[in-house]
Amino acid sequence: MLSRTRFAGNRLVVNAGALMISSLATGLLGLVYWVVAGRCFPAADVGQASAVISTATALASLSCLSLGGAFQRFLPIAGGRSSGYVVGGYLVVGAAAAALGSGFVLFGFGDRILLSSTERVTFPLVVVVFAIYALTDPILTGLRQAPAVAVKNVTLSVVKIVPLFLLGGTASALSITGSWTILAGIVTVVFVIHALRRAAGHRGESSSELPAPREMLAFQGAFFTMMLVSSTIPLVLPLLVVNQLGTTENAYFNLAWTMCTAAGLLRSAVGSAFVVEASQPNARRPELLRNLRRMLIGVTSVTVAGIALGGPFVLLIAGREYFESAGWLMVIMAGTAVIETIVVTYFLIAQLQRRMRLMLVTQIVMVALTVGGTVALIGPLGLTGVGVASLLSSGVALIIVIRPLVNGVREMMSEAREPTAQVVVG
């Protein structure tokens, strides 16, 4: 039993480490991308391009309909149905992305960031490319091709930097978004083909372990609702910054927020690995929970130091105006990261214990307070107001979940074994 416990803990550490390395490399290269863009293009063009890309990314995330969770959960046991699920997923997500991207343009939501007819016409295509690119990650993971996910993401992160040096003299936001989209499309085609080939390799295998369609729909519905709520912040905040402060300030905000997001990916990597290991029928949850605590303490310590100390330094490298506008935002977000780690710990336990309702309510409260607080504070405080709003929303969320978190930890520490394959709302 002791060797099994150590093995489970080691697997958690190895899997989380692999995911963190992938996330860290992608995040750091993303940071390099925007620093180079800030040096090669005027701040106003960078601000406009970052708003377009962040908006397209958020719409692409919505277009994925949270199918990623279902692919990671059910594709490994889909057998001969794998190809049909993969092709169907791509078709559904592609159609949803085209509809959302077109609606965003036709209803005038992008008038402040899509300044030319070319940008408006091509924007739906950008959303489609980003959506298929994003959906390929969980599909490859579900097909047990996780290393390909890292290769795919790091490859795009590296190659998309090159055009910035070649197109810097054009002084056009379209040069940034266009080169990013074209390269993302090429990389996506390569790995979609790889995914389809791997799925076809399961032809003839049994799919008897798949749960009933009703259970799969319940799983999908719960995660789609959570995704819908959490996607609001990356979609709305850049638009609020552009509307209230202009595209130049959004360039400063985008660089700072990119660093905060990259830091959050490390915590998400640990959480994802924990949920996977703790969901196994024979999982030793008390030991896994102790390992999770140690890893989150380490990751949070590095994150706080990186955001509070390294963040302002990177802003200063990008330009003094970046530091002056977004420096305090970084310091405040470092404090927010500590509180969010505690809240996320509750979210992980809630998923394992199939208690999704309070988790969803907490997400709604956080989004509402972050967006509402930003609207109220960004005028008098500038970008610092976004940080204050985020800090306040995280504090309220902590008050909501602290007692259920303590109770959940106590229950898990007393568990010997509990199956957690089914996820329901309750």
Side-chain angles (χ1 to χ4, degrees):
M1 183 175 296
L2 180 60
S3 61
R4 183 192 300 174
T5 298
R6 288 177 176 173
F7 179 71
N10 290 337
R11 285 201 60 177
L12 172 61
V13 173
V14 170
N15 292 340
L19 290 173
M20 283 192 292
I21 291 172
S22 177
S23 298
L24 184 61
T26 304
L28 288 176
L29 289 169
L31 179 60
V32 171
Y33 179 89
W34 289 113
V35 170
V36 173
R39 289 295 186 181
C40 295
F41 291 82
D45 291 319
V46 175
Q48 181 195 348
S50 64
V52 172
I53 289 172
S54 62
T55 301
T57 300
L59 290 174
S61 179
L62 289 173
S63 302
C64 287
L65 305 174
S66 195
L67 287 173
F71 274 123
Q72 292 184 31
R73 172 62 183 87
F74 300 121
L75 200 54
I77 55 175
R81 299 185 185 181
S82 298
S83 293
Y85 285 156
V86 170
V87 173
Y90 278 133
L91 291 176
V92 169
V93 168
L100 283 178
S102 299
F104 186 83
V105 175
L106 292 175
F107 288 103
F109 296 116
D111 288 349
R112 293 295 301 274
I113 60 175
L114 302 172
L115 305 182
S116 69
S117 57
T118 301
E119 290 172 316
R120 288 188 287 271
V121 170
T122 57
F123 182 77
L125 179 60
V126 177
V127 179
V128 171
V129 171
F130 285 13
I132 300 300
Y133 178 88
L135 185 65
T136 302
D137 283 5
I139 287 178
L140 289 171
T141 302
L143 292 169
R144 299 174 181 175
Q145 296 291 302
V149 175
V151 174
K152 162 182 164 290
N153 294 332
V154 173
T155 297
L156 178 61
S157 297
V158 171
V159 300
K160 73 185 182 185
I161 297 175
V162 177
L164 295 178
F165 296 102
L166 304 177
L167 301 173
T170 64
S172 168
L174 184 60
S175 300
I176 300 175
T177 58
S179 61
W180 183 316
T181 304
I182 290 172
L183 291 173
I186 295 172
V187 172
T188 299
V189 168
V190 172
F191 284 91
V192 165
I193 293 173
H194 178 64
L196 292 174
R197 286 176 175 173
R198 297 299 302 185
H202 294 280
R203 190 175 299 143
E205 295 181 5
S206 172
S207 59
S208 60
E209 294 186 22
L210 280 173
R214 186 174 182 178
E215 180 184 336
M216 296 176 68
L217 287 175
F219 180 100
Q220 177 61 27
F223 276 82
F224 174 73
T225 304
M226 288 186 293
M227 179 276 298
L228 197 63
V229 173
S230 61
S231 296
T232 302
I233 288 180
L235 176 63
V236 172
L237 287 189
L239 298 178
L240 287 177
V241 173
V242 171
N243 287 329
Q244 295 286 335
L245 304 177
T247 56
T248 299
E249 285 290 316
N250 190 60
Y252 311 147
F253 170 74
N254 176 72
L255 181 56
W257 203 255
T258 297
M259 286 187 280
C260 295
T261 302
L265 290 175
L266 297 179
R267 181 177 57 219
S268 297
V270 174
S272 297
F274 170 74
V275 170
V276 169
E277 292 302 317
S279 295
Q280 301 300 317
N282 59 349
R284 302 292 299 176
R285 287 183 172 179
E287 178 63 23
L288 289 170
L289 193 59
R290 285 189 285 267
N291 282 323
L292 174 69
R293 180 187 61 191
R294 288 192 291 266
M295 295 181 72
L296 284 180
I297 289 175
V299 168
T300 302
S301 299
V302 173
T303 297
V304 169
I307 295 177
L309 301 177
F313 178 72
V314 172
L315 291 173
L316 192 58
I317 293 176
R320 187 167 186 83
E321 63 277 10
Y322 282 78
F323 174 79
E324 292 175 349
S325 293
W328 279 110
L329 170 63
M330 298 299 299
V331 174
I332 295 172
M333 291 305 295
T336 303
V338 177
I339 302 176
E340 287 182 345
T341 297
I342 302 174
V343 176
V344 167
T345 302
Y346 167 73
F347 285 0
L348 299 174
I349 293 175
Q351 292 179 55
L352 292 171
Q353 297 182 334
R354 307 186 302 276
R355 297 169 182 171
M356 310 286 282
R357 187 169 300 163
L358 182 60
M359 175 179 171
L360 180 57
V361 170
T362 303
Q363 284 185 318
I364 293 173
V365 170
M366 292 180 70
V367 169
L369 290 178
T370 299
V371 174
T374 297
V375 171
L377 298 174
I378 195 172
L381 299 180
L383 296 182
T384 303
V386 182
V388 173
S390 298
L391 181 62
L392 291 175
S393 69
S394 298
V396 173
L398 178 60
I399 294 173
I400 294 174
V401 306
I402 188 63
R403 184 172 180 179
L405 171 61
V406 172
N407 293 336
V409 170
R410 288 175 177 171
E411 291 177 18
M412 284 192 63
M413 293 302 292
S414 64
E415 286 182 8
R417 179 176 302 181
E418 178 182 345
T420 59
Q422 183 178 359
V423 178
V424 297
V425 179

